[in-house]
Amino acid sequence: MRDIVFTRQSGWIPSVVREDGELKLMLGAGADANHEPRTFTFPISEAHLGVIREDLARHLLLWSAVLPLCDAAGTRGRLDENAAVTLLDPILLAAPADVDALFRRIPWDKGRLIAHGADIGLLERGRMCAAMRTATETSNGQRAQEYRADRRRAARGTVLGPLDAAILKYTGQYLHGATVPRRMPDAADPALLPEVMRVIATADRACAGMRIGRDPRRGKRATDKRDWSRMETTVEAAVRREHPGLADDAVRTVSFLMCSEAADRSRNTPMEDDEEAAGHRADFGGGARKTALSFTDDKGVERKWLRSGPRSATAEFWEFVGDRSAADNEVFTIEDEEMGEGIQLHFYADSIARITTLREGDGRSDPEYRVEYGLVDGIGGYRKLVSAFARGGCAALEQHGPWMLDVAEFERARRRRDTR
């Protein structure tokens, strides 16, 4: 039989219970193998209960000191009750100087005390009882998170000024740099918000008209790394030029915000519009030459495109690539069977082959092909080549050379490029 004798407003602060006539401190900490919270208890006296009732600071200090023992118990071990009991008198009943001395010798959970309002400067100087004069029964978990984030920055030599911190909070990246940034004016210090907005305006102007295209080679929602890097460099240069006092963390979070927004716009754009934005003219209507194309991948999957359909050949092809491309599926072919020509894209090597039929097979002999190889400069280069082929076939690719017939010559050129 367990009866609650004393509990505080916050459900996580340890409670006092009576179990089979014995007073015990009960707290939840950690989790078991099934990720369910664990509950620990250990015996206390009436004198300890009296202090716990009347002195929030000592109650929180005891909690902070017991938590490492709970962590040591792991997912299924038992709490070291003897070690927990030995903490009671030195924390609850001893003089403040002795409490401070004890905490210099034992492990304790600093984040828990910070979340409950402890003075961080006094905590770091080891003045535990003085630090807890500002303690509150309610918890502010974000305060502890911000402290840990500041400690991580300090470990790599970064100290934020007030405007730097306001910018990071505006983008939602103050606590975690890997968080996808957003525009959150309410999160920034209101007094600094006008300055924050001036920095954001600088970034907006710097990348106006720039875009981050999609890269279907890496999936349907992947974006072009080169476009991202180009926008990132442009924004960071402009922000550093106009706001030279900002810390690197603040500058990077602004460029991350701009790039993330541009990438999202691209991902949510229909493939046809994405092609137009990338500067490649649609290849149906208006004198377009191709009327039917066949797309295949390295797994033998095929998709047909007809000019009479609702979508452009390039949009249809890149959607096919986005659907099918994978680490073991990086060779894609576009073929015009009627004209006897096609291109083969080698994504793993940033290269392409254009193939033309010189002589059709007649049953007694195999067909004869002319195969020429070229190097490709990233997804932008692939887009230009695919668009040109869809408009005018292999002849339209001539200007995008050089084209090499000799495989050995091509491999040497590829190695020279890859070692630059």
Side-chain angles (χ1 to χ4, degrees):
M1 182 70 178
R2 177 183 291 172
D3 296 317
I4 296 177
V5 176
F6 175 74
T7 188
R8 292 193 181 274
Q9 179 180 342
S10 172
W12 285 105
I13 300 178
S15 300
V16 178
V17 299
R18 193 178 300 276
E19 196 170 64
D20 298 326
E22 184 179 21
L23 284 177
K24 292 186 177 182
L25 193 72
M26 180 177 72
L27 70 156
D32 61 20
N34 295 320
H35 306 290
E36 296 293 331
R38 298 199 70 189
T39 299
F40 300 95
T41 62
F42 60 94
I44 65 171
S45 69
E46 291 287 349
H48 300 140
L49 171 59
V51 176
I52 288 170
R53 281 185 187 275
E54 300 301 326
D55 195 330
L56 171 65
R58 301 257 183 163
H59 190 180
L60 294 173
L61 286 169
L62 176 62
W63 185 24
S64 172
V66 172
L67 281 172
L69 298 177
C70 298
D71 292 339
T75 60
R76 61 185 65 185
R78 295 175 60 85
L79 176 70
D80 186 343
E81 288 192 9
N82 291 332
V85 169
T86 60
L87 294 170
L88 292 170
D89 285 357
I91 293 176
L92 297 179
L93 305 178
D98 294 331
V99 174
D100 293 348
L102 172 70
F103 273 80
R104 288 193 288 271
R105 302 193 305 269
I106 64 171
W108 51 283
D109 190 319
K110 183 183 291 185
R112 198 73 56 169
L113 301 183
I114 291 173
H116 280 272
D119 184 295
I120 295 173
L122 292 173
L123 278 184
E124 293 183 335
R125 293 197 295 273
R127 298 182 58 192
M128 307 300 294
C129 292
M132 298 306 292
R133 289 173 187 152
T134 56
T136 59
E137 193 166 326
T138 56
S139 174
N140 180 356
Q142 184 167 333
R143 187 171 187 256
Q145 289 179 316
E146 290 181 359
Y147 171 78
R148 287 191 288 269
D150 288 338
R151 294 285 292 179
R152 289 194 297 269
R153 292 188 188 94
R156 52 185 172 85
T158 298
V159 178
L160 300 179
L163 180 56
D164 300 317
I167 291 171
L168 287 165
K169 289 178 180 179
Y170 175 89
T171 63
Q173 288 205 297
Y174 189 91
L175 301 181
H176 304 289
T179 304
V180 177
R182 295 182 293 128
R183 301 187 188 221
M184 300 186 294
D186 292 344
D189 182 343
L192 292 171
L193 185 58
E195 290 186 67
V196 172
M197 298 311 297
R198 281 193 285 273
V199 175
I200 298 300
T202 297
D204 280 328
R205 288 193 300 272
C207 62
M210 299 183 73
R211 65 183 299 276
I212 295 178
R214 277 181 285 186
D215 188 348
R217 298 174 301 173
R218 298 188 295 117
K220 294 189 72 170
R221 293 183 59 79
T223 52
D224 187 347
K225 291 182 179 179
R226 290 190 182 185
D227 285 352
W228 182 294
S229 180
R230 190 178 302 113
M231 181 177 290
E232 181 180 60
T233 300
T234 300
V235 170
E236 290 187 5
V239 170
R240 285 195 170 97
R241 184 172 58 251
E242 295 195 30
H243 309 277
L246 291 179
D248 286 346
D249 283 24
V251 175
R252 282 194 293 267
T253 197
V254 173
S255 69
F256 191 9
L257 173 67
M258 299 298 135
C259 292
S260 295
E261 291 179 339
D264 280 343
R265 288 193 294 271
S266 180
R267 293 186 188 105
N268 295 321
T269 299
M271 189 64 76
E272 288 85 354
D273 295 339
D274 182 62
E275 288 294 312
E276 289 295 318
H280 305 302
R281 189 180 63 205
D283 52 89
F284 59 101
R289 187 178 140 205
K290 294 299 181 185
T291 59
L293 293 172
S294 174
F295 312 141
T296 55
D297 66 5
D298 210 22
K299 303 292 186 181
V301 175
E302 182 177 16
R303 183 179 297 179
K304 297 286 189 179
W305 171 82
L306 297 175
R307 182 176 167 186
S308 59
R311 309 183 68 197
S312 69
T314 52
E316 193 76 28
F317 172 72
W318 287 118
E319 182 167 287
F320 177 66
V321 171
D323 289 338
R324 299 290 305 162
S325 184
D328 61 346
N329 194 20
E330 296 186 289
V331 178
F332 287 77
T333 301
I334 307 176
E335 184 179 0
D336 183 340
E337 296 177 2
E338 182 179 351
M339 297 298 296
E341 60 182 7
I343 54 175
Q344 189 175 70
L345 287 61
H346 315 125
F347 293 148
Y348 63 90
D350 274 345
S351 65
I352 187 172
R354 67 172 179 175
I355 306 162
T356 52
T357 303
L358 299 179
R359 181 174 56 80
E360 297 283 354
D362 58 7
R364 291 176 296 178
S365 60
D366 293 332
E368 183 180 350
Y369 301 103
R370 178 184 179 90
V371 181
E372 301 165 283
Y373 300 92
L375 301 176
V376 183
D377 188 17
I379 186 61
Y382 277 120
R383 284 183 181 274
K384 290 177 183 178
L385 291 164
V386 169
S387 182
F389 179 79
R391 291 198 311 272
C394 284
L397 299 176
E398 192 63 38
Q399 62 180 311
H400 298 287
W403 296 94
M404 291 161 270
L405 278 167
D406 184 71
V407 175
E409 178 190 359
F410 165 69
E411 287 298 330
R412 286 193 296 271
R414 188 164 70 87
R415 285 194 294 272
R416 284 195 300 271
R417 179 200 62 188
D418 293 346
T419 56
R420 286 174 193 162

